Amino acid sequence: MIIVGGEALVDLVPEGASAEELPPLRPWLGGGPYNIAIALGRLGEPVGMLTRLSTDRFGEKLSERLSEAGVDTALVQRGPEPTTLAVVELDENGAARYGFHTEGTATPLLADPGQLPEGTEAVSLGTLGMVLEPGASVYERVLFRAAERGSFVALDPNIRADLIGDPDAYRRRFRDWLPAVTLLKLSVEDAAWLAGVDSETESEPLFAALRDWLDRGPSAVVLTRGADGMAVLTAAGEFVEVEAARVPVVDTIGAGDTIQAALLAWLRREGALSAAAISGMDAGSWRAALSYAAAAAGVTVSRSGAQPPYAGELAEPR
């Protein structure tokens, strides 16, 4: 099983074109790790989620949707705190910006689950789960324990800069995680933020940072670039790029999360959920993996909200 750890929340998304100054907001179930778990379930992978959900109506719906997608909820904790909210703003290209309401909500209050169940093949962590305390320290312990047990560890920082009070401290903490990480996936904007450079004008310092991160532990870094597709840089020196799927974009909510899920699904089906296996992948294998992930993200961005594809909507990952 793949265990996904992190927040589950509700996105309040502007609905349709409106002549009004403020369009109505529609609630969509989301959160980066939550979207990854749903996508893995829809793709037919054995997946469980580690998170804390409210007992309010939103929390009930979040739990129901996990079950509907085939996600194991044995590690889901419940509490009376309200559900975390994210208010979404969409630009003219459908790109999303988020304003979060986290104080006093269920997301940060995760209790330490101890060792994950036997048969945990991989762990995927990131986003607010690695930022909001006291839960961030819990997920950090989960990350290190998983690595010590030999599990595949995937990390998507998915930076929400407005919630990071001390950027330098977070960057140091991020570097401390890297020896335990097998696969690092992040957007070019997040990579630039973590490296403290401008992604548009400082490409060489950015790639120097990627190489430094690889030297610290991961076997590969996957870099997503929106409409410009994605690329992977491996510890073995491979650099492979693929184009984004050419589809009409409704919004980009959940696109990066779908990519993470599709990559994990592809790797699992290929027997490549280990550091040794992905270190041995050649350019052709990486191109196939990235193309599968790009196709999955293309489905997600073609519809409103984080609605990742089902396995039947995609070609077999070969």
Side-chain angles (χ1 to χ4, degrees), residues 2 29 46 89 117 125 146 163 167 181 205 218 221 226 233 240 317:
I2 298 171
L29 307 179
E89 295 181 35
L125 300 166
L163 294 179
V181 173
V221 176
L233 180 65
V240 179

Side-chain angles (χ1 to χ4, degrees), residues 30-117:
Y34 183 83
N35 296 335
I36 292 170
I38 294 293
L40 280 165
R42 288 186 173 189
L43 292 173
E45 298 303 310
V47 56
M49 186 158 196
L50 171 64
T51 192
R52 182 177 175 87
L53 298 180
S54 174
T55 53
D56 65 15
R57 187 177 180 189
F58 284 148
E60 290 298 322
K61 291 299 182 183
L62 286 161
S63 180
E64 287 175 14
R65 189 172 182 233
L66 287 172
S67 297
E68 289 168 359
V71 179
D72 188 297
T73 59
L75 293 175
V76 173
Q77 302 171 16
R78 305 298 297 271
E81 311 82 19
T83 295
T84 304
L85 301 177
V87 180
V88 181
E89 295 181 35
L90 300 175
D91 67 17
E92 62 276 9
N93 298 314
R97 291 183 58 190
Y98 301 86
F100 293 96
H101 298 262
T102 64
E103 189 70 27
T105 64
T107 286
L109 300 180
L110 184 81
D112 194 326
Q115 290 287 359
L116 297 179

Side-chain angles (χ1 to χ4, degrees), residues 115-177:
Q115 290 287 359
L116 297 179
E118 290 294 328
T120 299
E121 190 174 6
V123 174
S124 175
L125 300 166
T127 320
L128 303 188
M130 306 304 286
V131 173
L132 300 177
E133 295 288 5
S137 292
V138 173
Y139 287 117
E140 183 177 77
R141 292 195 290 273
V142 168
L143 181 149
F144 287 127
R145 286 198 296 255
E148 288 169 3
R149 291 180 66 180
S151 297
F152 185 103
V153 176
L155 176 67
D156 179 3
N158 206 4
I159 298 299
R160 305 303 188 210
D162 291 347
L163 294 179
I164 299 176
D166 187 339
D168 289 336
Y170 181 89
R171 290 175 179 123
R172 289 192 297 271
R173 199 172 188 181
F174 164 74
R175 289 192 293 271
D176 289 342
W177 296 331

Side-chain angles (χ1 to χ4, degrees), residues 12-14 87-99 160 187 189 225-227 248-256 300-305:
L12 299 177
V13 183
V87 180
V88 181
E89 295 181 35
L90 300 175
D91 67 17
E92 62 276 9
N93 298 314
R97 291 183 58 190
Y98 301 86
R160 305 303 188 210
S187 71
E189 295 84 5
R225 303 180 294 194
V249 176
V250 174
D251 66 50
T252 62
I253 300 171
T300 299
V301 302
S302 70
R303 44 205 190 195
S304 184

Side-chain angles (χ1 to χ4, degrees), residues 194-209:
L194 286 163
V197 303
D198 187 324
S199 62
E200 295 184 1
T201 62
E202 299 180 89
S203 58
E204 186 52 40
L206 179 59
F207 273 86

